[in-house]
Amino acid sequence: MAEKWQRKGRLDLLADVAELYYLKGASQAEIAQELGVTRSMVSRMLTDAREHGMVKIQIERPINENTDLEQKLVRRFKLQKAIVIETLNNQNRLSVLARAAARYLAESLEPGQILGTSWGTAISATADELHLNTPIPGVRVVQLLGSLGARIKVYDGLSIVRRLVEKLDGEGIYLNAPLLVENEEVAEILLASRGVQETLNYGCQADVALLGIGSPSFDYSPYYLARHVSQEELLEMVAQKTVGDVCGIFFDINGKLTYPELQKRIIGIDIDKFLKIPVRLAVAGGPEKINPVLGALRGNYINTLVTDANTAQSVLIQS
């Protein structure tokens, strides 16, 4: 082996070989000649580098957009932007939608902006899919709704803010309060507290809100599955014709507010101030989300939507 490479530690050498091959495009034969070793030895070194976790290979399938449906959604609901993905049967709908939303977020966020976020699996998946080639300076990420409880789950607002902060190399502003409290009186006390007010004031200044759209069904309601509402409360939600919620705001198929009793127990951004956030980006798709998406669009709770073609088509037909 050439002398300059002999002075390297084994792991450093593996990393250098992997960089030459995967990042700089050198062939195994070229690396072997540079190091003064055989090509088979270079092949073994590359295998060792992968086994040591120095190399991570990720296959990015193309995201195919349906521009016709995008334009129809924008015109029908006066949206700022619609991204409609042609998902395949063997693709995971949520991961594809999350990747599309993350790409849009990375391209549209500007230095010094404030990104607000609620909670849920779609937002969590989007945070996981967010990858930046260059940092966006001065971004702050603020939690718009309270936390789920003592056990922080990946789809909890607190966890999502933490991951977004890591990805964006920004500053996190957390809402240190529960998502849902026992009654309106407790909610009023918490909302009046200094720490909660400070966070929600940042939320009111958000330039972009990253949002999911919830469903009140037993199989999909995030409030029921997280044990924040009982079976009786979920049935009452349905009885009041609730079809979905965005950032703790419950509405019917026409976008009209429902279930005020529960609304008053939620610790989060005020609806009037929420509606003033310039970009309200929602990620949602699938048969169970058709009515929630339609209600959210009719109520103007969102103005930017990432969804799949089947959901978009069904929403347009029903509208």
Side-chain angles (χ1 to χ4, degrees):
M1 184 179 293
E3 183 179 350
K4 73 172 185 177
W5 297 103
Q6 288 178 342
R7 293 195 296 267
K8 292 269 188 177
R10 180 171 179 273
L11 294 180
D12 284 338
L13 180 59
L14 293 179
D16 286 341
V17 169
E19 182 179 355
L20 286 170
Y21 183 74
Y22 289 106
L23 298 182
K24 297 184 178 179
S27 67
Q28 293 187 22
E30 290 170 335
I31 297 172
Q33 185 177 4
E34 169 74 16
L35 269 62
V37 298
T38 64
R39 183 173 175 177
S40 61
M41 181 175 288
V42 172
S43 178
R44 288 198 298 273
M45 293 170 78
L46 291 170
T47 299
D48 289 345
R50 291 196 296 271
E51 290 177 350
H52 278 83
M54 298 176 184
V55 178
K56 295 181 180 178
I57 299 174
Q58 182 173 326
I59 307 300
E60 291 285 355
R61 296 187 180 275
I63 297 177
N64 299 315
E65 295 186 36
N66 187 317
T67 55
D68 179 57
L69 288 175
E70 289 174 350
Q71 292 169 3
K72 287 179 179 178
L73 283 172
V74 169
R75 287 196 301 267
R76 174 64 183 83
F77 297 102
K78 297 180 174 58
L79 297 177
Q80 293 183 12
K81 176 77 174 177
I83 300 173
V84 178
I85 307 302
E86 290 284 4
T87 53
L88 302 177
N89 291 333
N90 61 346
Q91 287 181 303
N92 181 287
R93 180 189 294 109
L94 180 59
S95 65
V96 176
L97 296 182
R99 184 149 51 94
R103 184 180 65 181
Y104 175 75
L105 200 60
E107 293 172 351
S108 59
L109 267 180
E110 298 181 2
Q113 286 193 326
I114 296 177
L115 171 63
T117 182
S118 56
W119 67 289
T121 54
I123 306 175
S124 178
T126 302
D128 289 339
E129 293 288 348
L130 183 62
H131 305 288
L132 297 177
N133 294 323
T134 56
I136 305 173
V139 173
R140 287 171 288 181
V141 185
V142 60
Q143 188 177 339
L144 299 177
L145 285 177
S147 300
L148 296 178
R151 296 182 178 180
I152 300 173
K153 299 177 174 64
V154 293
Y155 53 80
D156 183 19
L158 185 63
S159 172
I160 290 169
V161 170
R162 283 178 178 171
R163 280 178 285 146
L164 286 171
V165 166
E166 290 176 359
K167 296 290 185 75
L168 294 166
D169 193 22
E171 176 188 359
I173 302 167
Y174 300 94
L175 186 54
N176 294 313
L179 170 66
L180 192 65
V181 294
E182 292 79 5
N183 53 57
E184 183 180 353
E185 290 73 23
V186 174
E188 289 176 351
I189 292 171
L190 283 173
L191 288 168
S193 66
R194 183 175 177 180
V196 170
Q197 279 193 348
E198 181 180 4
T199 298
L200 293 179
N201 284 338
Y202 273 105
C204 297
Q205 301 172 49
D207 301 283
V208 181
L210 177 59
L211 310 160
I213 302 178
S215 165
S217 72
F218 283 102
D219 292 332
Y220 296 103
S221 169
Y223 291 90
Y224 178 72
L225 296 176
R227 299 295 182 261
H228 276 280
V229 299
S230 65
Q231 180 176 338
E232 291 74 19
E233 287 172 318
L234 191 65
L235 290 172
E236 177 60 27
M237 193 182 296
V238 174
Q240 294 193 26
K241 299 184 178 179
T242 303
V243 299
D245 77 279
V246 171
C247 202
I249 301 164
F250 300 90
F251 48 81
D252 65 15
I253 194 69
N254 294 310
K256 304 297 182 182
L257 294 175
T258 62
Y259 212 165
E261 300 88 354
L262 188 63
Q263 186 80 57
K264 293 174 182 177
R265 294 166 49 201
I266 289 177
I267 308 300
I269 187 170
D270 176 78
I271 180 172
D272 292 330
K273 294 175 181 177
F274 168 77
L275 291 174
K276 292 179 181 179
I277 296 175
V279 178
R280 300 184 298 280
L281 166 64
V283 187
E288 73 282 356
K289 298 290 179 145
I290 294 170
N291 286 341
V293 169
L294 180 55
L297 289 169
R298 283 174 168 169
N300 194 36
Y301 302 113
I302 62 175
N303 55 24
T304 303
L305 174 65
V306 179
T307 191
D308 63 276
N310 290 337
T311 302
Q313 187 69 59
S314 297
V315 166
L316 287 165
I317 290 172
Q318 291 190 31
S319 65

